[in-house]
Amino acid sequence: METTVINNSDLHFEHKLWESELAFWNDELKSFKNRLSELVTRWTDKEVLAQLEHFQNQFMIHGNVIEEIQETINKHEMNISQHSESMDVPMVKTHTDIREKMETQRQIYADLKKDFFQFLSKYM
């Protein structure tokens, strides 16, 4: 049976990629929230305002998920730094779990952005 060695440097590299992506999402969310602020001043229609509130809530939820993932990455990074060159099975499982969470969140965020841009094209 062949054993695959997972190097800490590979995981560290992936963490850095994720952190960059999360930082980008945070910047985008700031822009989206600014856009919402502009729209709130333009519209009094209750249906439009309800949709604005929906997006505001979704952006807040996504921001919280970003923070949660960042904290998880930071904890995992600290755990990695305390080990030598490679990790044990539970640490690899943790890394895989973070990867899956990022992939899921990527899809959720892409769908949210698509919906928001459709909303903007209708009401801007």
Side-chain angles (χ1 to χ4, degrees):
M1 188 167 135
E2 188 177 320
T3 303
T4 303
V5 175
I6 299 173
N7 291 315
N8 292 352
S9 62
D10 296 335
L11 300 177
H12 178 71
F13 176 74
E14 192 167 24
H15 284 171
K16 289 299 170 199
L17 292 175
W18 293 338
E19 288 170 345
S20 295
E21 189 171 7
L22 293 169
F24 180 76
W25 289 349
N26 259 333
D27 285 344
E28 277 190 324
L29 286 176
K30 288 175 191 167
S31 297
F32 296 160
K33 289 174 185 175
N34 288 339
R35 187 65 71 193
L36 284 178
S37 295
E38 291 174 27
L39 287 168
V40 165
T41 62
R42 292 186 196 177
W43 290 91
T44 56
D45 181 272
K46 289 189 185 312
E47 186 177 316
V48 175
L49 292 174
Q51 289 179 320
L52 289 171
E53 186 176 355
H54 162 76
F55 284 113
Q56 182 179 32
N57 290 337
Q58 290 301 306
F59 296 156
M60 193 178 331
I61 289 167
H62 192 71
N64 290 339
V65 171
I66 289 171
E67 284 181 28
E68 177 189 308
I69 295 172
Q70 286 172 325
E71 286 176 23
T72 303
I73 291 169
N74 289 340
K75 285 179 190 172
H76 192 50
E77 189 69 32
M78 290 295 286
N79 201 359
I80 290 171
S81 70
Q82 295 169 357
H83 292 76
S84 58
E85 292 300 312
S86 59
M87 299 192 311
D88 58 16
V89 172
M91 288 177 66
V92 172
K93 167 88 171 84
T94 299
H95 190 82
T96 303
D97 290 346
I98 299 169
R99 183 183 294 140
E100 288 172 5
K101 180 127 180 140
M102 280 296 295
E103 289 169 1
T104 300
Q105 201 57 30
R106 226 176 255 128
Q107 187 59 55
I108 291 169
Y109 186 58
D111 291 344
L112 174 61
K113 282 174 51 173
K114 185 179 118 195
D115 292 346
F116 187 57
F117 289 137
Q118 287 174 343
F119 172 79
L120 288 178
S121 66
K122 189 174 180 181
Y123 293 105
M124 278 302 282

